[in-house]
Amino acid sequence: MENRFIVSSSPHIRSYESTGRIMRDVVIALLPATAAGIYYFGMGALKVIIVSIVAAVATEAIVQKLRNKPVTINDWSAVVTGLLLAFNIPSTAPWWLPAIGAIFAIAIVKQAFGGIGHNFMNPALAARAFLLASWPVQMTNWVSPGPDAVSTATPLALIQGVEATGQQLPSIMDLFIGNVGGCIGETSALALILGGIYLVYRGVITPRIPVIYILTVAVLTLIFGGFDFQYMIYHIFAGGLMLGAIYMATDYSSSPVTPKGQVIFALGCGIITTIIRMFGGYPEGVSYSILLMNVATPLIDKYTSPRIFGEVK
């Protein structure tokens, strides 16, 4: 009788995954893009990254202490939020900009709704939208890579004609490796793809959302761009599409849980991104498309959830 089986109520956990292990994998996946950002944009990028991470971790600890909750900074989720926020900020930003953004992301978007797993939108993207609306000049002060660091327009702004600077479009190779102006972590598509492959290999994400999201943008920009393949490639590799599709649209808390829901979510992100980029007054649409689809996620989950066995109307 001492070897009795003990049956507990569901759910029955069958995985050894933990939040800390998943978040550490995300940080590892982001290391190539981090290195690329520092290589291309120098100490300014390093300053923004450090300030953003420190502010995010400190805010999480302080808020949890004030709420008499266990301090969970060891799960690395605040580090991920701080790093992703830094990736969405130009290297020329003053130190207080990532600090305010990190405080907003953790205190307002994450902890105010109950902490990790309860936020209804991606904290880093919400903070980026907040910073862009509040300090648009500092958030769009792009510089070219290298020691000269002269002001420049992003490739998306150039192909859309938003900024008539007379600059030449960068080559596709420069666009792919990240040798272009833009936010710290969004320029190197190569580094972001390498990190995405690592996350898929580790089972942290599935390729469903990133692949469908990117393919949707590719098909729509090809159609509306007059079947200009170079124009399509620029839209794929330029801006925050790779960063958003791989690392932010796949956020567990704010994306659908069902496969069908993830397909709808990715299609919606791709359609809204293309509409904003091609017909809006702002050359980038990734952040706003993901945030809008984050808000729609509960509705998507509601109508795509499988029927419970034995359920009747």
Side-chain angles (χ1 to χ4, degrees):
M1 294 296 291
E2 294 182 1
N3 294 325
R4 292 178 299 178
F5 291 105
I6 300 176
V7 179
S8 61
S9 62
S10 61
H12 303 290
I13 300 175
R14 303 188 181 202
S15 174
Y16 293 99
E17 300 289 348
S18 66
T19 300
R21 183 263 207 219
I22 292 172
M23 294 300 163
R24 282 193 297 271
D25 275 340
V26 175
V27 172
I28 293 171
L30 291 170
L31 289 180
T34 303
I38 296 172
Y39 173 77
Y40 286 122
F41 299 110
M43 297 304 296
L46 181 61
K47 174 196 68 178
V48 170
I49 291 170
I50 291 174
V51 170
S52 184
I53 292 175
V54 170
V57 173
T59 302
E60 179 134 303
I62 292 171
V63 171
Q64 289 177 330
K65 278 285 188 182
L66 292 175
R67 297 177 62 213
N68 294 319
K69 300 289 185 180
V71 176
T72 60
I73 57 175
N74 291 331
D75 66 6
W76 289 69
S77 62
V79 175
V80 170
T81 298
L83 187 54
L84 286 175
L85 173 60
F87 276 20
N88 284 276
I89 297 176
S91 60
T92 56
W95 68 268
W96 50 265
L97 198 70
I100 292 175
I103 293 170
F104 178 85
I106 298 295
I108 305 300
V109 185
K110 183 181 178 183
Q111 290 298 328
F113 290 92
I116 187 170
H118 298 281
N119 49 285
F120 70 97
M121 63 175 59
N122 185 280
L125 280 183
R128 182 187 190 277
F130 165 71
L131 293 177
L132 186 60
S134 303
W135 295 279
V137 175
Q138 290 86 347
M139 284 292 291
T140 55
N141 184 21
W142 321 113
V143 294
S144 60
D148 294 336
V150 296
S151 296
T152 186
T154 63
L156 279 180
L158 291 174
I159 62 174
Q160 294 299 97
V162 175
E163 297 185 28
T165 61
Q167 299 177 26
Q168 294 293 323
L169 281 173
S171 67
I172 293 177
M173 179 54 67
D174 281 340
L175 199 65
F176 183 64
I177 64 175
N179 190 26
V180 292
C183 293
I184 292 170
E186 72 179 14
T187 60
S188 179
L190 173 61
L192 294 168
I193 291 171
L194 289 175
I197 293 172
Y198 173 80
L199 290 180
V200 173
Y201 170 75
R202 293 286 287 172
V204 175
I205 66 172
T206 66
R208 186 179 296 112
I209 289 178
V211 169
I212 295 175
Y213 187 174
I214 295 169
L215 283 178
T216 302
V217 174
V219 171
L220 292 178
T221 52
L222 181 64
I223 294 172
F224 292 114
F227 292 91
D228 184 339
F229 283 92
Q230 183 176 2
Y231 182 78
M232 177 195 71
I233 292 172
Y234 265 87
H235 271 283
I236 293 175
F237 291 146
L241 181 59
M242 290 293 175
L243 177 62
I246 297 172
Y247 300 94
M248 295 177 169
T250 55
D251 179 29
Y252 289 174
S253 302
S254 54
S255 62
V257 296
T258 63
K260 187 186 298 184
Q262 291 173 358
V263 171
I264 297 172
F265 180 87
L267 286 171
C269 287
I271 293 170
I272 296 173
T273 297
T274 305
I275 291 173
I276 295 175
R277 282 186 174 187
M278 300 196 69
F279 305 108
Y282 183 60
E284 179 59 279
V286 172
S287 298
Y288 297 110
S289 66
I290 296 175
L291 289 174
L292 288 171
M293 292 307 295
N294 284 162
V295 176
T297 291
L299 192 64
I300 295 173
D301 275 334
K302 177 180 179 181
Y303 289 104
T304 59
S305 297
R307 177 178 293 184
I308 302 172
F309 183 74
E311 177 187 5
V312 295
K313 290 185 178 181

Short mmCIF file of all heavy atoms in Angstrom, two decimals, residues 81 85 101 104-106 109-110 119 121-128 251 254 291 294:
data_model
loop_
_atom_site.label_atom_id
_atom_site.label_comp_id
_atom_site.label_asym_id
_atom_site.label_seq_id
_atom_site.Cartn_x
_atom_site.Cartn_y
_atom_site.Cartn_z
N THR A 81 12.25 42.31 -21.32
CA THR A 81 11.50 43.53 -21.63
C THR A 81 12.43 44.72 -21.83
O THR A 81 12.27 45.49 -22.78
CB THR A 81 10.49 43.84 -20.50
OG1 THR A 81 9.55 42.77 -20.40
CG2 THR A 81 9.74 45.13 -20.77
N LEU A 85 12.94 46.64 -25.38
CA LEU A 85 12.66 48.08 -25.45
C LEU A 85 13.86 48.83 -26.01
O LEU A 85 13.70 49.70 -26.87
CB LEU A 85 12.30 48.61 -24.06
CG LEU A 85 12.14 50.13 -23.95
CD1 LEU A 85 11.03 50.62 -24.86
CD2 LEU A 85 11.89 50.55 -22.51
N GLY A 101 10.85 54.72 -20.44
CA GLY A 101 10.16 53.66 -21.18
C GLY A 101 10.12 52.35 -20.41
O GLY A 101 9.08 51.67 -20.38
N PHE A 104 7.62 52.60 -17.54
CA PHE A 104 6.26 52.50 -18.06
C PHE A 104 5.92 51.06 -18.44
O PHE A 104 4.84 50.55 -18.12
CB PHE A 104 6.11 53.41 -19.28
CG PHE A 104 4.76 53.36 -19.93
CD1 PHE A 104 3.73 54.15 -19.45
CD2 PHE A 104 4.51 52.53 -21.00
CE1 PHE A 104 2.47 54.12 -20.05
CE2 PHE A 104 3.27 52.48 -21.60
CZ PHE A 104 2.24 53.28 -21.12
N ALA A 105 6.85 50.39 -19.11
CA ALA A 105 6.60 49.02 -19.57
C ALA A 105 6.35 48.07 -18.40
O ALA A 105 5.42 47.25 -18.44
CB ALA A 105 7.80 48.52 -20.39
N ILE A 106 7.16 48.18 -17.36
CA ILE A 106 7.04 47.25 -16.24
C ILE A 106 5.92 47.65 -15.29
O ILE A 106 5.06 46.82 -14.93
CB ILE A 106 8.38 47.16 -15.47
CG1 ILE A 106 9.49 46.63 -16.39
CG2 ILE A 106 8.22 46.28 -14.25
CD1 ILE A 106 9.29 45.21 -16.87
N VAL A 109 2.26 48.62 -17.88
CA VAL A 109 1.76 47.61 -18.81
C VAL A 109 1.82 46.20 -18.24
O VAL A 109 0.96 45.37 -18.52
CB VAL A 109 2.55 47.67 -20.14
CG1 VAL A 109 1.96 46.71 -21.17
CG2 VAL A 109 2.56 49.09 -20.69
N LYS A 110 2.83 45.93 -17.42
CA LYS A 110 3.00 44.56 -16.90
C LYS A 110 2.44 44.40 -15.49
O LYS A 110 1.48 43.66 -15.27
CB LYS A 110 4.48 44.18 -16.94
CG LYS A 110 4.77 42.76 -16.48
CD LYS A 110 6.27 42.47 -16.54
CE LYS A 110 6.58 41.06 -16.04
NZ LYS A 110 8.03 40.78 -16.03
N ASN A 119 -0.40 40.53 -18.66
CA ASN A 119 -0.41 41.73 -19.50
C ASN A 119 -1.09 41.42 -20.84
O ASN A 119 -0.84 40.40 -21.46
CB ASN A 119 1.01 42.24 -19.73
CG ASN A 119 1.97 41.15 -20.19
OD1 ASN A 119 2.39 40.32 -19.38
ND2 ASN A 119 2.31 41.15 -21.46
N MET A 121 -0.93 43.27 -23.59
CA MET A 121 -0.14 43.67 -24.74
C MET A 121 1.33 43.59 -24.39
O MET A 121 1.70 43.51 -23.22
CB MET A 121 -0.52 45.08 -25.23
CG MET A 121 -0.25 46.20 -24.25
SD MET A 121 -0.57 47.85 -24.94
CE MET A 121 -2.30 47.73 -25.38
N ASN A 122 2.16 43.57 -25.44
CA ASN A 122 3.60 43.45 -25.22
C ASN A 122 4.12 44.71 -24.52
O ASN A 122 3.96 45.82 -25.05
CB ASN A 122 4.30 43.27 -26.57
CG ASN A 122 5.78 43.01 -26.42
OD1 ASN A 122 6.56 43.93 -26.21
ND2 ASN A 122 6.17 41.75 -26.53
N PRO A 123 4.75 44.58 -23.35
CA PRO A 123 5.20 45.77 -22.61
C PRO A 123 6.20 46.62 -23.36
O PRO A 123 6.13 47.85 -23.32
CB PRO A 123 5.82 45.17 -21.34
CG PRO A 123 5.19 43.82 -21.19
CD PRO A 123 4.96 43.34 -22.59
N ALA A 124 7.16 46.00 -24.04
CA ALA A 124 8.18 46.77 -24.75
C ALA A 124 7.58 47.58 -25.89
O ALA A 124 7.93 48.74 -26.11
CB ALA A 124 9.27 45.83 -25.26
N LEU A 125 6.64 46.98 -26.63
CA LEU A 125 6.00 47.69 -27.73
C LEU A 125 5.11 48.81 -27.23
O LEU A 125 5.05 49.89 -27.82
CB LEU A 125 5.19 46.72 -28.58
CG LEU A 125 5.97 45.88 -29.60
CD1 LEU A 125 5.01 45.03 -30.41
CD2 LEU A 125 6.80 46.76 -30.51
N ALA A 126 4.39 48.55 -26.14
CA ALA A 126 3.55 49.60 -25.57
C ALA A 126 4.41 50.78 -25.11
O ALA A 126 4.03 51.95 -25.31
CB ALA A 126 2.73 49.04 -24.41
N ALA A 127 5.55 50.49 -24.51
CA ALA A 127 6.45 51.55 -24.07
C ALA A 127 7.02 52.31 -25.26
O ALA A 127 7.17 53.54 -25.21
CB ALA A 127 7.58 50.96 -23.23
N ARG A 128 7.33 51.60 -26.34
CA ARG A 128 7.82 52.28 -27.54
C ARG A 128 6.78 53.24 -28.10
O ARG A 128 7.10 54.38 -28.47
CB ARG A 128 8.20 51.26 -28.61
CG ARG A 128 8.77 51.91 -29.87
CD ARG A 128 8.97 50.88 -30.97
NE ARG A 128 9.72 51.44 -32.10
CZ ARG A 128 9.20 52.16 -33.07
NH1 ARG A 128 7.89 52.40 -33.08
NH2 ARG A 128 9.95 52.63 -34.05
N ASP A 251 4.91 36.75 -28.25
CA ASP A 251 4.81 36.86 -26.79
C ASP A 251 3.67 35.98 -26.27
O ASP A 251 2.53 36.08 -26.74
CB ASP A 251 4.56 38.32 -26.42
CG ASP A 251 4.43 38.53 -24.92
OD1 ASP A 251 5.03 37.76 -24.16
OD2 ASP A 251 3.71 39.46 -24.52
N SER A 254 0.36 37.82 -24.78
CA SER A 254 -0.47 38.72 -25.59
C SER A 254 -0.77 38.20 -26.99
O SER A 254 -1.29 38.94 -27.82
CB SER A 254 0.21 40.09 -25.70
OG SER A 254 1.53 39.96 -26.19
N LEU A 291 0.31 45.73 -31.52
CA LEU A 291 -0.48 46.21 -30.38
C LEU A 291 -1.98 46.10 -30.66
O LEU A 291 -2.75 45.71 -29.78
CB LEU A 291 -0.11 47.66 -30.07
CG LEU A 291 1.28 47.90 -29.45
CD1 LEU A 291 1.57 49.38 -29.33
CD2 LEU A 291 1.39 47.22 -28.08
N ASN A 294 -2.86 42.54 -30.40
CA ASN A 294 -2.84 42.14 -28.99
C ASN A 294 -4.19 42.40 -28.34
O ASN A 294 -4.70 41.58 -27.57
CB ASN A 294 -1.76 42.93 -28.23
CG ASN A 294 -0.35 42.45 -28.48
OD1 ASN A 294 0.61 43.17 -28.21
ND2 ASN A 294 -0.20 41.25 -29.01
#
